Amino acid sequence: MSTDALQQSIERFFAAGPAAIGDKDALAVFHQLRDALEAGTLRSAEPDPASPTGWRVNAWVKRGILLGFRIGHLEAVDGGVLHCVDKHTYPTRKFTPEQNIRIVTGGSAVRAGAYLSAGVVVVPPAYVNTGAYVDEGTMIDSHALVGSCAQIGKRVHLSAAAQIGGVLEPVNASPVIIEDDVLIGGNTGIYEGAIVRSRAVLAAGVILTRGTPVYDLPNNTILKATAETPLIIPSGAVVVPGSRAITKGPGKDLGLSVYTPIIVKYRDEKTDLSTTLEDLLR
């Protein structure tokens, strides 16, 4: 089935609502979508130079993923380490050595409908949700989460306990996007469609959301999301957690401050030297 035909079928069965439950044709169409997602030939969001953000959301793909939840029924699932009960349309993915994807023993899970490219390493316990796209050479470290439909580029390192938020609804909302060669430090959180451009470095503890202003000290500016675009971290930015003083009201009187991410520099040779150890871990 062509992509256009698949889209039309997904739209039709999604619009059918509960009537699609138990429909064998709806299940067959969903399986085609899921297979294409796992093969990386179809994505919930993809690069688009014509878009203001450089990315285009494929809302119909997200509707297809939601269709899978709607028509799925609960059944016992082989979750590897744990015994699980989940929608039968979203079992845990299994891999072979020929795929050159390293799933380290110890309790990680990759859900059906997620794409992992060759050279990806998943260190337990970690979780990759459906619709996610993880490109070649990326490492997903212990306790890291790649949320639904998140887009992760090449040679990214998601350090321990990094949280990449997911998004299925609203269906036209942009997922979190991490571009190539980004280093995400431990205990970071990136949510609500934020885009982190290539070669950026996020230090441990950085939190990015749609409502988070980011202070770019080298350029003396403040980066914010708008009604049309998400929060975007520029290419090569080095972001650390910081704080800004409350300037009025009781907070000022008490000497309080609130959290804010700060771009302290842009990536240079010294920053690159500090990240070469990543190669030793792959």
Side-chain angles (χ1 to χ4, degrees):
M1 184 182 295
S2 69
T3 300
D4 289 343
L6 179 60
Q7 178 176 355
Q8 292 175 8
S9 296
I10 289 293
E11 299 283 20
R12 177 164 55 88
F13 286 117
F14 184 80
I21 298 173
D23 189 319
K24 293 181 179 179
D25 291 335
L27 184 61
V29 166
F30 166 72
H31 280 159
Q32 289 184 51
L33 176 91
R34 195 182 71 184
D35 291 346
L37 286 169
E38 291 183 4
T41 57
L42 194 64
R43 301 171 65 168
S44 57
E46 59 186 302
D48 181 3
S51 169
T53 64
W55 289 81
R56 179 180 75 252
V57 176
N58 294 320
W60 72 270
V61 173
K62 294 168 71 175
R63 281 190 280 271
I65 295 171
L66 290 170
L67 174 66
F69 284 104
R70 179 182 295 164
I71 64 178
H73 60 258
L74 292 181
E75 69 175 18
V77 179
D78 178 12
V81 174
L82 300 175
H83 178 75
C84 305
V85 175
D86 198 4
K87 296 283 189 173
H88 83 289
T89 43
Y90 287 104
T92 302
R93 280 200 62 185
K94 298 185 183 298
F95 298 90
T96 65
E98 291 73 23
Q99 292 171 287
N100 194 28
I101 298 168
R102 185 177 165 203
I103 311 294
V104 181
T105 55
S108 296
V110 179
R111 204 175 197 179
Y115 170 75
L116 271 62
S117 183
V120 169
V121 179
V122 181
V123 181
Y127 187 71
V128 182
N129 207 347
T130 189
Y133 184 101
V134 183
D135 216 334
E136 63 185 44
T138 284
M139 173 176 278
I140 302 170
D141 215 332
S142 299
H143 298 280
L145 164 70
V146 180
S148 57
C149 299
Q151 306 292 299
I152 311 296
K154 297 178 175 66
R155 299 173 298 276
V156 171
H157 187 137
L158 301 180
S159 298
Q163 304 289 291
I164 308 300
V167 60
L168 280 173
E169 296 185 275
V171 292
N172 60 341
S174 175
V176 173
I177 295 169
I178 311 296
E179 296 185 348
D180 297 346
D181 299 300
V182 170
L183 176 61
I184 306 292
N187 291 294
T188 56
I190 307 171
Y191 309 106
E192 297 176 333
I195 298 176
V196 181
R197 297 290 192 204
S198 62
R199 303 184 65 253
V201 177
L202 272 57
V206 167
I207 305 294
L208 302 177
T209 70
R210 190 171 185 84
T212 307
V214 178
Y215 286 74
D216 186 343
L217 299 186
N219 293 310
N220 192 26
T221 189
I222 302 174
L223 307 177
K224 297 180 179 179
T226 69
E228 294 78 26
T229 60
L231 176 67
I232 299 176
I233 301 300
S235 178
V238 179
V239 188
V240 302
S243 63
R244 54 191 174 95
I246 296 175
T247 58
K248 58 184 178 181
K252 178 182 178 181
D253 297 337
L254 293 170
L256 302 179
S257 60
V258 295
Y259 163 79
T260 186
I262 301 171
I263 298 175
V264 291
K265 60 183 285 189
Y266 281 80
R267 198 163 172 175
D268 54 22
E269 291 182 1
K270 290 183 179 179
T271 313
D272 289 337
L273 283 173
S274 70
T275 60
T276 55
L277 287 177
E278 304 304 320
D279 294 333
L280 301 178
L281 299 174
R282 298 189 186 279

